[in-house]
Amino acid sequence: MEKLIFGNLKMNFNQKETNLYLEKLIPLVKDCKNKIALFVPDVYLMPCSQKLAATNIKLGAQNVSYFKNNGPTGEISAKMLKDYCKMVLVGHYDRKKYFSETTEQINQKIKNLLECGLKIVLCVGETKSERVGKRTKTAVEKQVSECLRGLYENELNNIIIAYEPIWAIGSSAAATLTQIQEGTDAIRNAIKTDFSETASKKIKILYGGSVDYANAGIILPCKNINGMLLGKTALSAAEFAKICSL
Ligand code: PGA
């Protein structure tokens, strides 16, 4: 079954490095059957959209303002992003940790993006202490519920959820299959409660957090996982391409 392999380049490459990276990646993945997407910094959306136009790599933005129009200095709205990409990452732990993003703000971002016809990758995940304290289910369900509050069920067709346990992001160890099952069950359960059983079965879920070639080979074939969201590993075009080819 076709999977989604998404890479988040975060704040790593300048324009020249991004070009070199894409020049390496494009030929390596051109025959891959999986769906590939890269999330790049806003300043590179325009050049990347041109470079990726005739390829099988989709383009996404890493963030969006929760303001709609006439927003404050330095912000970028959903309407602006729509000129260059079709998909936006929302609720990544980096944004929560460094910019104190709340689930109310994430919910507003999602609504603004949906209004503009953009697709969304929503990240959720529990902290280490929530995991240790056996509060994963409650924590993940709460995040999903608050982030998707007020949406219509059909709008979920434009949303993919990335289960990213916070303790696994940028660490040396990905979650185990049992832990992933627990997280994805919590996501589906929240959707079942707030929307419907059909919606809970239909929603696409990615796993993210210290994915590498070795663990991707184990996690990706899981039935409850529709793909992966990669950070560090995606920074190597060769490594990313290997996972895209799984
Ligand atoms: P990682 O990052 O793959 O480096 O753990 C994942 C992420 O930040 O989404």
Side-chain angles (χ1 to χ4, degrees):
M1 203 188 26
E2 173 195 84
K3 300 274 180 165
L4 314 173
I5 313 291
F6 291 178
N8 176 8
L9 298 184
K10 303 195 185 183
M11 205 183 82
N12 284 285
F13 300 148
N14 65 14
Q15 174 73 80
K16 193 173 161 205
E17 290 161 340
T18 306
N19 277 342
L20 288 172
Y21 173 86
L22 293 182
E23 274 153 26
K24 245 178 152 178
L25 184 69
I26 292 167
L28 290 174
V29 299
K30 72 177 191 342
D31 297 320
C32 289
K33 284 183 215 75
N34 290 318
K35 281 205 167 141
I36 306 164
L38 278 178
F39 294 84
V40 307
D42 292 348
V43 278
Y44 302 134
L45 280 172
M46 161 127 72
C48 287
S49 70
Q50 291 165 351
K51 230 174 163 61
L52 297 177
T55 74
N56 58 339
I57 305 172
K58 299 264 176 291
L59 185 63
Q62 295 177 10
N63 185 33
V64 64
S65 176
Y66 62 84
F67 288 92
K68 219 170 180 176
N69 295 309
N70 309 315
T73 305
E75 288 292 274
I76 300 198
S77 69
K79 191 173 99 177
M80 293 165 164
L81 292 177
K82 204 191 170 190
D83 289 336
Y84 303 106
C85 67
K86 295 197 165 53
M87 197 163 35
V88 181
L89 206 56
V90 167
H92 191 280
Y93 179 60
D94 289 344
R95 305 289 319 168
K96 293 179 185 151
K97 180 178 174 191
Y98 297 111
F99 303 97
S100 310
E101 264 185 25
T102 64
T103 48
E104 288 74 23
Q105 290 167 349
I106 295 167
N107 179 251
Q108 191 55 55
K109 288 180 178 200
I110 292 175
K111 287 177 176 162
N112 295 348
L113 289 164
L114 288 170
E115 212 171 283
C116 287
L118 284 155
K119 290 199 183 304
I120 292 141
V121 178
L122 165 67
C123 302
V124 297
E126 79 284 4
T127 62
K128 182 87 197 166
S129 69
E130 285 165 341
R131 161 73 52 190
V132 172
K134 303 200 183 312
R135 297 190 308 277
T136 298
K137 183 175 185 290
T138 332
V140 172
E141 283 183 6
K142 185 169 184 287
Q143 282 174 48
V144 172
S145 205
E146 289 179 1
C147 292
L148 302 182
R149 184 164 291 158
L151 264 58
Y152 294 105
E153 184 168 327
N154 68 341
E155 292 179 312
L156 297 183
N157 294 333
N158 291 315
I159 298 178
I160 294 167
I161 301 189
Y163 171 57
E164 295 209 307
I166 288 161
W167 48 270
I169 298 175
S171 75
S172 53
T176 63
L177 293 186
T178 313
Q179 290 167 329
I180 294 173
Q181 181 76 50
E182 226 183 301
T184 56
D185 281 352
I187 293 170
R188 291 195 199 278
N189 200 46
I191 294 191
K192 188 175 158 188
T193 308
D194 293 350
F195 298 92
S196 71
E197 182 152 15
T198 313
S200 82
K201 286 186 179 147
K202 225 166 107 186
I203 193 90
K204 288 198 163 62
I205 303 180
L206 312 179
Y207 169 76
S210 294
V211 172
D212 58 23
Y213 182 65
N215 60 39
I218 298 166
I219 300 168
L220 205 53
C222 293
K223 270 213 278 292
N224 54 332
I225 288 294
N226 301 96
M228 325 210 80
L229 177 58
L230 286 79
K232 199 170 52 257
T233 304
L235 298 180
S236 155
E239 285 303 304
F240 187 48
K242 266 167 64 184
I243 295 177
C244 292
S245 306
L246 278 172

